[in-house]
Amino acid sequence: MDFDEIGQILELMRRHGIVEFELERDGERVRILKPDGSAAAPGGTLAPPVEAGRGEPDLVVVDAPILGTFYRASAPDAAPFVSVGDVVSAGDVLGIIEAMKLMNDVTSEFGGEVVEVCVESGQPVQYGERLFTLRRQPGA
Amino acid sequence: MDFDEIGQILELMRRHGIVEFELERDGERVRILKPDGSAAAPGGTLAPPVEAGRGEPDLVVVDAPILGTFYRASAPDAAPFVSVGDVVSAGDVLGIIEAMKLMNDVTSEFGGEVVEVCVESGQPVQYGERLFTLRRQPGA
Amino acid sequence: MFSKVLIANRGEIALRIVCACRELGIRTSVAHSQPDGDSLAVRLADEAVCIGPASSEQSYLNVAAIVTAAAMVGADAVHPGYGFLSESAVLADACQAAGVVFIGPPPHVLRLLGDKARARRVMQAAGLPVVPGTDSFDTPEEGTRLAETLGFPLLIKATAGGGGRGLRVARTARDLEHSLGAARREAAAAFGDPRLYLERYVDEPRHIEFQILADETRALHLGDRECTLQRRHQKLLEEAPAVGLSEETRHRLGGLVVKAALAVGYRNAGTFEFLVDRGGAPFFIEANARIQVEHPVTEMVTGVDLVKEQIRVAAGEGVSFQQTDVRVTGHAIECRVNAEQAETGRPSPGVIRAFVAPGGPGVRVDTYAHAGCMVWPHYDALVAKVVAHGRDRGEAIARMRRALDMFVIEGIETTMPLHRRVLREPDFLAGRFTTSFLERFIT
Amino acid sequence: MFSKVLIANRGEIALRIVCACRELGIRTSVAHSQPDGDSLAVRLADEAVCIGPASSEQSYLNVAAIVTAAAMVGADAVHPGYGFLSESAVLADACQAAGVVFIGPPPHVLRLLGDKARARRVMQAAGLPVVPGTDSFDTPEEGTRLAETLGFPLLIKATAGGGGRGLRVARTARDLEHSLGAARREAAAAFGDPRLYLERYVDEPRHIEFQILADETRALHLGDRECTLQRRHQKLLEEAPAVGLSEETRHRLGGLVVKAALAVGYRNAGTFEFLVDRGGAPFFIEANARIQVEHPVTEMVTGVDLVKEQIRVAAGEGVSFQQTDVRVTGHAIECRVNAEQAETGRPSPGVIRAFVAPGGPGVRVDTYAHAGCMVWPHYDALVAKVVAHGRDRGEAIARMRRALDMFVIEGIETTMPLHRRVLREPDFLAGRFTTSFLERFIT
């Protein structure tokens, strides 16, 4: 069994929608399991849900607290509240969301370093949409 | 077992809607699972399916080869073809099923000892209904 | 016609509106709460926008979020469904301000009909028979004084109430005294308005209603519905046409509701509700300025698609037919399949493991449910509406029975066992029932 | 009325018959093959009996097993559905001998209509316009001689054929010579009868049919259906009423089929099929002595439950209405959702992983499928029939589009992508099509 073979198995599994595969070479044993279709997933049109910063437990995500238009700065000609690399404290304003002429601050629950700004200024955002990824500071 | 064979197995599974397949070559073991529909098991009114002699691999079952009325003897006053404890040979008549005035023999594929008569004489039986359980004779 | 409609609702009615829009060639965007993100309405609409968390207050009742969402997706109209903000003048105003069409009556009609005491007065002036009752009052003392002129038994109602919420019966002056304070506090808490009014209590009535449709120039009625079978003022089984209505009363009320709708400047779909006393006399109680849960029974007997008509009217195209085209054919029954323990009404949210809806002739199922879907505890318990249509009431009942017998829902409890019992009850079959039938039947 | 009916069929029609029986208060027993033991029809019927293995020959085509099963469960009638033994005089005879009612026409009518050449002759005598054609013949030489009197192009048909099977077109004498031998062998293999007959080939026709119902004393017709959209002579989309039929022809044929049904002593439900040539002239081709797959479109526009009427007639109760009660309202379309790759028609059996059927106004789905069910390779590919009813053809088409767009079937391929394309094709929308439309459209 080498990686080529494993790759071929994985490809076959993908193509046939197999969820479990067992092999035992010379005593010649094989076992193949298809999904049972239990979770009837109707064909969706919606984009897949936003993923959190998987794998890295010190990455945290700041989501939109309401829907509206997201701005990175307080005015078109002002500097952004934060940019990648900035270090922020809990409670700092990271951006604003405008809904029905009202400006709503987006604040951080945590202190940390901004590692990603996920939405451009002036873009509409849904409730719960990911706006920033922060790397939590040790002890913050 | 090579990938050609596995590909053939997968193709067969796809074509027959098999969800689980097991093989063990020379000790001759095969296990094929069709979907059980469990995910969506609508409330049924049907009796549970007939169970085979699980656990005891030397027990074999003789099912009704057609539907009709099952008789254990050739006439009301005749002795039954077989009773529990009798030893039969492959091809022996175990009973008869009457359908549309025609008498159809129920014969055994195996030689063995009759350990159970599952249906009373004169009872209607469905196709595939279990009639007898035999214990296969070593070498039979 | 609109090019995109924002659907500000959830569940089966959101899907129902998707159906209507698709048939009219209109794109749909569903404004949904976070847990509804993978609902069938969201999946089957052209697009979707998440407007808030599970809590209705922050999502389906959030006017700012809905109007913002409409602008964000570029919708030219908002359909509010039923419940939630469907009768909200505030949402209608906000839509107007934002240049988006609210699919429903104009704000002034919503305000009038939202004030139940004022609506009664106006409808009386427009010629409808109303239950004798009082104006709104602010203090228990006023209430006690007004009750003397009205007599007992009477009903204490919240001025801003509706849907059967906040009702209390007072059979004696002592009852009244005992109840007024609590009713006031409840009304303030539930509707943000402590005002109450009193109404003569109609004992053992039937509850019937008329469906209307009005556009810029005309008002039409589409016949009546029987909504007498209720539990705690929540309808559980509806029929069209109404069972206990003489042809004479039917004809007369049909004409009167059309006149009343014209008198108040009604637009779009609406319902006039009446109590009918044992002598057969009808009394207007309220008008609902929205599509009703039970609208399919009317659709089944008339062949009219009420939700499409709502959209046409809102788009300025007018109702697509004349009063003389309206023909009631056969009989239809709707059973509301709720995620509730049948006898107690205790909610039963959870994952639906198996779901096989009945089909075949004369059966319609409106539902957002499917195998593997979640019935959330945050929202109301309606999972599916089963509607059966037959050439007569007998065939409709037989059809409903077989539809319920063939409806498989596993994983949650539903009201179907109760419906099945009702559909075999001799008094129900004979059409002998009043609004207390179901509660007496259950206990 | 019967107290128990044995259903000798499977799939959606078995379930359809369960619906009808339940509405009539009749108990049901489903005679099924081994793999169908956990089908929805079996689960939803009162009881079931396994009559044989997967092979149709040993189960659904097994007359002895079916009659034995009927006796075993104590059924007083057998409903054969469509296909399988539905038009079998042998089953009808065997039922009669066993004292069980066969729900269908009497054996002599089944024999007459099963012999297509004789049926043509008899129907011509009864006043129906028929395509010029020949009697049955046994040898290729006879065929060649008869063809001379008829002229080309012509159609070679099996005397015992039906359902579009065993058809060959001969455009020249050379074609004919080439085909007769093979057609003869095929007919012998497929129908156990090598006899053939010839018919004038109607080029680019439409295929329309009339639904009839007859009891001991009367015959009635329930209007017509458009069945022109076919692939390899298998209907894929049907409509009621027919699109390309003048009111004059409709009226005239309606009267003629009723007369013809009376002339042959017809009983129960049946269908008279016609080709309509480009000039609008109709030619009778055959009569089907069973309920048709596409019966729901007629049910949608008339409100009549054809399967219940079949049972009533068989029980001696007669058709439950008069010809003058039959009113065609609006327009209905049926799409046959088959487990087939849409473009090629290649079968696609397997497990259905997700299944969400469309609901809402004017939509009916007849199906045995559900999430987790198996589509067996042993039987025909029909998984579901989607039927849409609208006030006119335009609304029915819009409704069918949205119904198909909302119909989720995962795990197998289906014909829905083809239906979706057809429903957007300008020639289809304009009603401009003939029986070759679909095949030209696909390629």
Side-chain angles (χ1 to χ4, degrees):
Chain A
M1 180 69 45
D2 57 21
F3 281 100
D4 249 22
E5 279 194 323
I6 291 173
Q8 284 176 45
I9 290 168
L10 288 173
E11 177 52 27
L12 277 169
M13 286 179 76
R14 191 193 59 72
R15 211 163 53 219
H16 291 270
I18 305 301
V19 295
E20 198 183 321
F21 182 96
E22 218 176 306
L23 179 86
E24 228 182 280
R25 195 62 65 102
D26 285 338
E28 283 267 63
R29 178 183 162 75
V30 68
R31 179 183 144 90
I32 298 168
L33 222 78
K34 282 225 182 198
D36 60 6
S38 57
T45 53
L46 197 69
V50 179
E51 291 153 26
R54 304 142 297 170
E56 294 196 52
D58 56 341
L59 289 188
V60 291
V61 158
V62 180
D63 292 334
I66 65 167
L67 98 169
T69 306
F70 171 71
Y71 294 103
R72 289 186 58 192
S74 58
D77 51 357
F81 292 107
V82 293
S83 297
V84 170
D86 289 358
V87 173
V88 299
S89 306
D92 278 5
V93 174
L94 308 182
I96 49 176
I97 294 177
E98 180 194 337
M100 300 200 83
K101 315 284 175 215
L102 288 175
M103 298 298 171
N104 303 273
D105 289 344
V106 178
T107 58
S108 177
E109 274 186 73
F110 307 98
E113 181 196 341
V114 178
V115 297
E116 194 186 3
V117 182
C118 313
V119 177
E120 278 179 53
S121 204
Q123 287 298 306
V125 292
Q126 303 183 37
Y127 170 82
E129 195 166 335
R130 183 177 8 184
L131 302 178
F132 301 94
T133 312
L134 305 186
R135 175 167 293 116
R136 235 164 140 162
Q137 299 291 62
Chain B
M1 176 70 44
D2 57 20
F3 281 98
D4 252 21
E5 279 194 324
I6 290 173
Q8 283 175 39
I9 290 168
L10 288 173
E11 180 51 28
L12 278 169
M13 286 178 74
R14 192 193 58 73
R15 211 160 55 216
H16 292 272
I18 305 301
V19 296
E20 197 182 322
F21 182 94
E22 222 175 304
L23 176 88
E24 234 182 278
R25 194 66 62 103
D26 284 337
E28 280 266 68
R29 179 184 161 74
V30 70
R31 180 182 143 87
I32 297 169
L33 225 77
K34 286 233 177 190
D36 58 5
S38 60
T45 53
L46 197 69
V50 180
E51 290 152 24
R54 302 144 300 171
E56 294 196 53
D58 57 341
L59 289 188
V60 291
V61 158
V62 179
D63 291 335
I66 64 166
L67 97 169
T69 307
F70 171 72
Y71 293 103
R72 289 186 56 192
S74 58
D77 50 357
F81 292 107
V82 293
S83 297
V84 170
D86 288 359
V87 173
V88 300
S89 307
D92 278 5
V93 173
L94 308 181
I96 49 177
I97 294 178
E98 180 194 338
M100 299 199 82
K101 316 284 176 217
L102 289 174
M103 298 298 171
N104 304 271
D105 288 344
V106 178
T107 57
S108 177
E109 273 186 74
F110 308 98
E113 181 195 342
V114 177
V115 295
E116 194 186 3
V117 182
C118 313
V119 177
E120 279 179 53
S121 203
Q123 286 299 304
V125 292
Q126 303 182 38
Y127 170 82
E129 194 166 336
R130 184 184 357 189
L131 302 177
F132 300 94
T133 311
L134 305 185
R135 175 168 293 114
R136 235 164 140 162
Q137 298 290 62
Chain C
M1 185 45 74
F2 307 124
S3 65
K4 188 189 285 183
V5 165
L6 183 81
I7 299 169
N9 214 305
R10 64 179 304 281
E12 66 86 19
I13 193 66
L15 204 55
R16 172 71 188 86
I17 300 164
V18 171
C19 291
C21 289
R22 275 193 187 271
E23 292 181 22
L24 292 169
I26 301 169
R27 289 177 60 78
T28 49
S29 184
V30 173
H32 64 87
S33 72
Q34 203 158 43
D36 283 336
D38 63 353
S39 68
L40 210 52
V42 165
R43 285 162 194 256
L44 297 178
D46 295 300
E47 50 182 66
V49 53
C50 182
I51 56 166
S55 142
S56 298
E57 281 67 32
Q58 293 174 71
S59 52
Y60 299 111
L61 291 170
N62 184 342
V63 171
I66 289 165
V67 176
T68 304
M72 192 187 281
V73 303
D76 28 30
V78 171
H79 198 305
Y82 53 66
F84 294 131
L85 295 172
S86 57
E87 297 174 278
S88 162
V90 175
L91 177 59
D93 280 335
C95 284
Q96 208 160 53
V100 177
V101 175
F102 174 83
I103 300 177
H108 77 271
V109 171
L110 292 169
R111 286 211 170 75
L112 165 63
L113 299 180
D115 180 335
K116 303 298 174 189
R118 201 176 126 220
R120 259 182 69 257
R121 225 162 44 230
V122 169
M123 292 304 174
Q124 183 168 29
L128 291 184
V130 302
V131 188
T134 72
D135 282 346
S136 293
F137 56 86
D138 270 317
T139 66
E141 294 68 37
E142 275 180 277
T144 307
R145 193 175 41 76
L146 287 166
E148 277 165 30
T149 64
L150 193 65
F152 291 89
L154 52 74
L155 217 48
I156 310 170
K157 293 177 121 179
T159 299
R165 294 193 305 160
L167 289 184
R168 275 156 190 264
V169 179
R171 300 205 170 263
T172 62
R174 203 186 149 80
D175 276 1
L176 181 73
E177 207 178 333
H178 192 265
S179 296
L180 277 177
R184 207 165 165 278
R185 282 191 300 277
E186 262 181 33
F191 312 111
D193 179 349
R195 287 179 305 151
L196 305 171
Y197 68 102
L198 306 176
E199 226 177 59
R200 168 89 51 80
Y201 178 67
V202 180
D203 213 21
E204 296 290 325
R206 303 176 80 111
H207 185 134
I208 67 116
E209 59 188 27
F210 279 77
Q211 176 68 51
I212 64 148
L213 263 179
D215 59 25
E216 303 300 313
T217 57
R218 299 172 300 155
L220 297 78
H221 79 91
L222 287 96
D224 44 276
R225 294 187 285 256
E226 176 81 52
C227 301
T228 300
L229 260 54
Q230 309 181 353
R231 167 160 69 180
R232 287 178 235 119
H233 304 287
Q234 298 300 318
K235 298 165 188 166
L236 267 179
L237 183 154
E238 300 99 341
E239 308 185 48
V243 180
L245 206 59
S246 72
E247 279 311 309
E248 185 275 327
T249 308
R250 168 169 288 140
H251 184 74
R252 183 166 60 88
L253 285 184
L256 287 176
V257 295
V258 164
K259 264 183 57 191
L262 289 170
V264 300
Y266 203 91
R267 295 281 178 282
N268 218 294
T271 300
F272 283 74
E273 300 199 330
F274 296 83
L275 295 182
V276 178
D277 74 11
R278 296 193 213 218
F283 299 103
F284 169 81
I285 44 172
E286 63 182 63
N288 297 321
R290 58 165 192 268
I291 192 78
Q292 302 271 99
V293 175
E294 61 270 26
H295 76 275
V297 290
T298 297
E299 294 186 327
M300 293 293 259
V301 296
T302 61
V304 168
D305 186 321
L306 286 167
V307 180
K308 289 205 306 208
E309 295 297 332
Q310 284 194 292
I311 297 169
R312 279 202 189 95
V313 168
E317 297 194 0
V319 177
S320 71
F321 53 90
Q322 311 297 324
Q323 184 69 60
T324 48
D325 299 327
V326 178
R327 220 173 298 280
V328 170
T329 305
H331 194 91
I333 302 180
E334 170 181 281
C335 287
R336 299 194 191 187
V337 179
N338 296 335
E340 293 171 355
Q341 203 279 328
E343 308 296 310
T344 62
R346 182 169 39 77
S348 175
V351 178
I352 293 181
R353 289 186 297 108
F355 189 88
V356 184
V363 172
R364 163 178 172 187
V365 179
D366 281 25
T367 185
Y368 68 94
H370 55 87
C373 97
M374 181 73 195
V375 178
W376 296 107
H378 318 295
Y379 311 110
D380 87 34
L382 183 67
V383 168
K385 305 187 303 201
V386 187
V387 192
H389 182 232
R391 286 184 294 175
D392 50 37
R393 188 167 186 258
E395 188 174 50
I397 289 173
R399 208 155 252 173
M400 179 60 86
R401 277 191 198 153
R402 74 99 177 141
L404 293 178
D405 285 347
M406 299 172 91
F407 199 165
V408 179
I409 303 182
E410 290 178 13
I412 57 166
E413 291 187 276
T414 75
T415 41
M416 286 199 289
L418 176 57
H419 288 123
R420 292 191 188 108
R421 275 180 56 206
V422 168
L423 289 161
R424 292 192 143 72
E425 172 70 19
D427 281 343
F428 172 77
L429 301 181
R432 285 189 304 263
F433 46 79
T434 68
T435 52
S436 67
F437 171 86
L438 213 48
E439 282 172 55
R440 270 188 286 115
F441 180 69
I442 292 166
T443 51
Chain D
M1 184 46 75
F2 305 125
S3 64
K4 188 189 285 183
V5 165
L6 184 81
I7 299 170
N9 214 304
R10 64 179 305 281
E12 67 86 20
I13 193 65
L15 203 56
R16 172 70 187 85
I17 300 164
V18 172
C19 289
C21 289
R22 275 192 186 273
E23 292 182 22
L24 291 169
I26 300 169
R27 290 177 60 79
T28 49
S29 184
V30 174
H32 64 87
S33 72
Q34 203 159 42
D36 283 336
D38 64 352
S39 68
L40 210 51
V42 166
R43 285 162 193 255
L44 297 178
D46 296 300
E47 50 182 66
V49 53
C50 182
I51 56 167
S55 141
S56 298
E57 281 66 30
Q58 293 174 73
S59 52
Y60 298 112
L61 291 170
N62 183 342
V63 172
I66 289 166
V67 176
T68 304
M72 194 188 283
V73 302
D76 28 31
V78 171
H79 198 306
Y82 53 67
F84 295 130
L85 295 172
S86 58
E87 296 174 278
S88 161
V90 176
L91 177 60
D93 279 337
C95 283
Q96 208 161 54
V100 177
V101 176
F102 174 83
I103 301 177
H108 78 270
V109 172
L110 293 170
R111 286 211 170 76
L112 165 64
L113 299 180
D115 180 335
K116 302 298 175 189
R118 200 176 125 218
R120 258 183 69 257
R121 224 162 45 230
V122 170
M123 291 305 173
Q124 183 168 29
L128 290 184
V130 302
V131 188
T134 71
D135 282 345
S136 294
F137 56 85
D138 271 317
T139 66
E141 294 69 38
E142 273 181 277
T144 308
R145 192 174 43 74
L146 287 166
E148 276 165 32
T149 63
L150 194 63
F152 291 90
L154 53 75
L155 217 48
I156 310 170
K157 293 177 122 179
T159 300
R165 294 192 305 159
L167 289 184
R168 276 158 189 262
V169 179
R171 298 201 171 269
T172 62
R174 202 186 151 79
D175 277 0
L176 182 72
E177 203 177 338
H178 193 264
S179 297
L180 277 176
R184 207 167 164 279
R185 280 190 302 277
E186 261 180 33
F191 312 110
D193 180 350
R195 287 178 306 151
L196 305 171
Y197 67 101
L198 306 176
E199 224 176 60
R200 170 88 52 79
Y201 179 67
V202 181
D203 213 20
E204 296 289 325
R206 302 176 80 111
H207 185 134
I208 67 117
E209 59 187 28
F210 278 77
Q211 176 68 52
I212 63 147
L213 263 179
D215 59 25
E216 303 301 310
T217 56
R218 298 172 300 153
L220 297 77
H221 79 90
L222 288 97
D224 44 275
R225 294 186 287 255
E226 176 81 50
C227 300
T228 299
L229 261 54
Q230 307 181 354
R231 166 159 71 182
R232 286 179 234 121
H233 303 287
Q234 297 301 316
K235 299 165 188 168
L236 267 179
L237 182 153
E238 300 99 341
E239 307 185 49
V243 181
L245 205 60
S246 72
E247 279 312 308
E248 186 273 327
T249 307
R250 168 169 287 139
H251 184 75
R252 184 166 59 87
L253 286 184
L256 287 175
V257 296
V258 164
K259 264 182 58 190
L262 289 170
V264 301
Y266 203 91
R267 295 282 178 281
N268 218 292
T271 300
F272 283 74
E273 299 200 333
F274 295 84
L275 295 182
V276 178
D277 74 10
R278 296 194 216 217
F283 300 102
F284 169 81
I285 43 174
E286 62 182 63
N288 298 320
R290 58 165 190 267
I291 191 78
Q292 302 271 99
V293 176
E294 60 270 26
H295 77 274
V297 290
T298 297
E299 294 186 328
M300 292 295 258
V301 296
T302 61
V304 168
D305 186 322
L306 286 167
V307 180
K308 288 204 305 206
E309 295 299 332
Q310 285 194 291
I311 297 169
R312 279 202 190 96
V313 168
E317 297 195 0
V319 177
S320 72
F321 53 90
Q322 310 296 324
Q323 184 69 61
T324 49
D325 299 327
V326 178
R327 222 173 297 278
V328 170
T329 306
H331 193 91
I333 301 180
E334 170 181 282
C335 287
R336 298 193 191 188
V337 179
N338 295 337
E340 294 171 353
Q341 203 281 328
E343 307 297 309
T344 61
R346 181 168 40 77
S348 174
V351 179
I352 293 181
R353 289 186 297 106
F355 189 87
V356 184
V363 172
R364 163 178 172 185
V365 179
D366 281 25
T367 184
Y368 68 94
H370 54 88
C373 97
M374 181 74 197
V375 178
W376 296 107
H378 318 295
Y379 309 109
D380 87 33
L382 182 66
V383 167
K385 306 188 303 202
V386 187
V387 192
H389 181 232
R391 286 184 295 174
D392 50 37
R393 187 167 186 258
E395 189 175 50
I397 289 173
R399 207 154 251 173
M400 180 60 86
R401 277 191 198 154
R402 74 98 178 141
L404 294 178
D405 285 347
M406 300 171 90
F407 199 164
V408 178
I409 303 183
E410 290 177 12
I412 58 167
E413 292 187 276
T414 75
T415 41
M416 286 200 288
L418 175 58
H419 287 123
R420 292 192 189 106
R421 275 180 56 208
V422 168
L423 289 162
R424 291 192 145 70
E425 172 69 18
D427 281 343
F428 172 77
L429 301 181
R432 283 189 304 264
F433 46 79
T434 68
T435 52
S436 67
F437 172 86
L438 214 47
E439 282 172 56
R440 270 188 284 114
F441 180 69
I442 291 166
T443 50

